[in-house]
Amino acid sequence: MGTGARLIETIGERRLIVAIGVVFLVAAAIRGYVRIASGTAPTSALFVSVFISIPALILLYGGYRLREMDIHPDFHSTVATWTTGGVLAMVGFLAVYNVVVEGGISNPDRAFTILPAFSALAGFALGLRDAQIKTSKREIDTTVEQLRMSNERLEQFAYAASHDLQEPLRMVSSYLQLLERRADDELTDETREFLAYAVDGADRMRAMVDGLLVYSRIDTEGKPFETVALEDVVERAVDDLGVLIEECDAEITVGDLPQVEGDEMQLHRLVQNLLQNALEYTDDDPRVRVTAERNGDTWILSVQDNGIGIDPANQDDIFEVFKRLHTREEYPGTGIGLALCQRIAERHGGEIWVDSEPGKGSTFSVSLPVERASQPSPKRRGGPSVSSRR
Ligand code: ADP
């Protein structure tokens, strides 16, 4: 700790500022008295004294009110340091100027009262500004830290809840199935129907819990980012959805896709969810287009379909966990797919959004960071690269 800092700590920041004000006030009074006593016209002597008293009084008041200002107490020392610095810098400068340039201090009361008093005030004002900036920064840092911790706690809660629910749910569903098999002869049509509902409910709940578990692990269990070829990711997702694509006789067209910086497994999950939705929410003859477009430091990956579309009023809600716009009878699903996509996009520093018109189809777009060794253009040029009707 420097001498200045030790001095400030010993005296106390506010007291030091008040003390500087008092010193200049006393100096102003003494100067006025001495001048009048030595024959200077009282008006002129008093004018200068009042002039010095103005910054002195502001410092007195400012030091006294410092605690009520929107400045964190840790930064009161910043204000005191700037104020003291203001005085010392001016006194030092004037001393050097008078000795070196003038050859001696000809008018010490003027040199060491008027200018240092205003310089202390300037230091005080700058100190206040600096302390306010530091206070705001501290507040932002604290809020960010609180948000991070609350987010972490939520993630831990979601993980624990979904993880611990898996086991009892598995038991419920296995025993229900066992009952269905073993007691089949004794069951009436009605009880068989009830059991089927119970098994279906347990299965659905398991799917939701599994989804929640994956959701809660996106940040904690994500892999470090590496260069990922989106073309391979899409190809694998199309392969994985082979049966569904065949079932609905869909056409998937894939344009030129770039390399991005990311977690390959998570990007695969994201693309697969978007493709699966595009197929499931298109009633007839699904035609899906996967394209990418560069926008500054990001690639915008888009999955476009000719499906049922989404009402503009619901276009934000669908990214919420378990939010669905249809009953299970209309379209099956758990409502976690897009929430997962959003978490994955956010982990990649990107966003996901949808442009859609009911009855005309939807385009889901995701922004992803360009690969580190920034490719200026997509890997391959030309028309659509894969066009498959399976
Ligand atoms: P799920 O598909 O399991 O219901 P998602 O989170 O993937 O869950 O989707 C949430 C809702 O968003 C869906 O229930 C559906 O109403 C709507 N949706 C998602 N993708 C599309 C799409 N391509 N076209 C129309 N609606 C969609």
Side-chain angles (χ1 to χ4, degrees), residues 5 57 78 96 120 135 143 173 185 192 200 210 270 276 317 351 376:
L57 284 170
T78 306
V96 171
T135 302
T143 313
S173 138
D185 299 340
R192 203 170 285 121
D200 181 50
D210 287 349
L270 179 145
Q276 189 165 343
D317 310 345
E351 286 177 63

Side-chain angles (χ1 to χ4, degrees), residues 274 277-278 280-281 305 308-310 318 320 323-326 332-339 362 364:
L274 293 182
N277 280 351
E280 283 177 352
Y281 296 102
D305 63 50
I308 58 172
I310 302 160
I318 52 171
E320 286 169 22
K323 181 75 186 178
R324 309 204 64 234
L325 304 180
H326 308 277
T334 55
I336 199 141
L338 287 179
S362 313
F364 282 86

Side-chain angles (χ1 to χ4, degrees), residues 269-282:
R269 190 183 284 278
L270 179 145
V271 169
Q272 187 162 332
N273 280 348
L274 293 182
L275 284 176
Q276 189 165 343
N277 280 351
L279 300 171
E280 283 177 352
Y281 296 102
T282 304

Side-chain angles (χ1 to χ4, degrees), residues 86-109:
V87 181
L88 295 180
M90 184 54 82
V91 169
F93 171 75
L94 289 175
V96 171
Y97 177 80
N98 276 276
V99 171
V100 176
V101 182
E102 306 271 313
I105 302 173
S106 55
N107 197 346
D109 62 330

